Amino acid sequence: AQRVTQPEKLLSVFKGAPVELKCNYSYSGSPELFWYVQYSRQRLQLLLRHISRESIKGFTADLNKGETSFHLKKPFAQEEDSAMYYCALYTGGFKTIFGAGTRLFVKA
Amino acid sequence: ETGVTQSPTHLIKTRGQQVTLRCSSQSGHNTVSWYQQALGQGPQFIFQYYREEENGRGNFPPRFSGLQFPNYSSELNVNALELDDSALYLCASSLEDRGGNEQFFGPGTRLTVL
């Protein structure tokens, strides 16, 4: 079955602390993975995709095919990082599967 | 460049009724995907339209149908509404060349079924 699992509904960290938002996927093919973010009162938007291997707003994510994971990391969290984060898997067949999301709360 | 727009913003219907939601894609985009997002859940893929044809569908019954027009705008139609259809409906547009491209989301339509 094709599935994206984000085990944490809520993650709370202090400003300046490292952040890791977990994402595991289930897919037998070659995955294309994304992280989308939704800031308060804004629409859902792309944060990064594994193909581009970029660092966006200090966030990085590495695809680990052995562990079927695509965890999102940032070494030093900022208050403006507080948002809802969704991991998404493109399966081909023009279908994208989203995880249930993790709400990140960065405390001052 | 204009972003993705959706109408209406909110809608209240009763069980058994039919509803049509509308989406205008971002300028230059030829692909529209529709998602249903229930409270506390991630977006669930309903279907995708590319050049006026449905080319991908999630696990939704046939009473969920859609259209895409020559200008790439799109409609989502839901017949025989059920209480569980209450959700935020998101439209996303993208430029489809090989798939897996960045999707640009609209603000959503909040549907309440009573």
Side-chain angles (χ1 to χ4, degrees):
Chain A
Q2 300 161 351
R3 188 169 48 244
V4 174
T5 303
Q6 294 180 249
E8 303 135 331
K9 280 198 172 299
L10 173 66
L11 186 62
S12 183
V13 301
F14 282 102
K15 178 181 171 182
V19 171
E20 181 177 68
L21 289 88
K22 291 184 167 51
C23 171
N24 288 90
Y25 66 91
S26 173
Y27 181 55
S28 57
S30 184
E32 291 189 49
L33 286 145
F34 304 79
W35 278 98
Y36 280 83
V37 60
Q38 187 166 26
Y39 300 102
S40 179
R41 297 191 193 87
Q42 294 187 27
R43 56 187 70 186
L44 200 56
Q45 59 186 285
L46 180 69
L47 179 63
L48 55 80
R49 52 193 299 186
H50 90 271
I51 286 179
S52 48
R53 300 169 87 63
E54 297 173 294
S55 172
I56 305 292
K57 298 184 179 182
F59 285 98
T60 58
D62 290 319
L63 176 59
N64 185 323
K65 290 187 179 180
E67 295 183 359
T68 60
S69 68
F70 188 56
H71 302 328
L72 183 68
K73 299 177 184 179
K74 184 170 182 175
F76 307 103
Q78 302 299 315
E79 288 180 76
E80 55 265 30
D81 295 330
S82 294
M84 195 74 186
Y85 291 81
Y86 294 95
C87 182
L89 165 69
Y90 178 72
T91 64
F94 311 104
K95 182 178 176 180
T96 301
I97 298 172
F98 282 80
T102 297
R103 180 166 297 283
L104 174 64
F105 180 56
V106 181
K107 297 176 284 190
Chain B
E1 186 179 272
T2 54
V4 178
T5 61
Q6 292 186 244
S7 63
T9 307
H10 298 90
L11 203 51
I12 299 175
K13 291 285 189 178
T14 55
R15 201 168 40 178
Q17 285 189 309
Q18 178 266 342
V19 70
T20 297
L21 310 182
R22 294 178 175 83
C23 171
S24 290
S25 59
Q26 182 157 312
S27 176
H29 286 180
N30 55 16
T31 302
V32 172
S33 299
W34 285 92
Y35 294 86
Q36 180 194 68
Q37 187 173 21
L39 205 58
Q41 301 295 320
Q44 299 293 310
F45 176 76
I46 302 175
F47 43 54
Q48 182 185 87
Y49 278 83
Y50 172 60
R51 294 186 174 179
E52 302 178 59
E53 290 196 6
E54 182 183 301
N55 68 352
R57 190 175 184 95
N59 296 326
F60 281 82
R63 60 189 184 84
F64 285 77
S65 63
L67 282 173
Q68 187 179 33
F69 301 99
N71 66 354
Y72 303 130
S73 65
S74 178
E75 287 181 355
L76 164 64
N77 299 290
V78 187
N79 292 321
L81 283 166
E82 300 176 0
L83 297 179
D84 284 348
D85 295 334
S86 294
L88 181 69
Y89 287 84
L90 295 169
C91 164
S93 74
S94 58
L95 185 56
E96 185 74 15
D97 51 16
R98 62 169 189 84
N101 288 318
E102 176 180 359
Q103 296 184 66
F104 292 79
F105 283 83
T109 293
R110 172 77 59 190
L111 173 65
T112 302
V113 182
L114 302 176

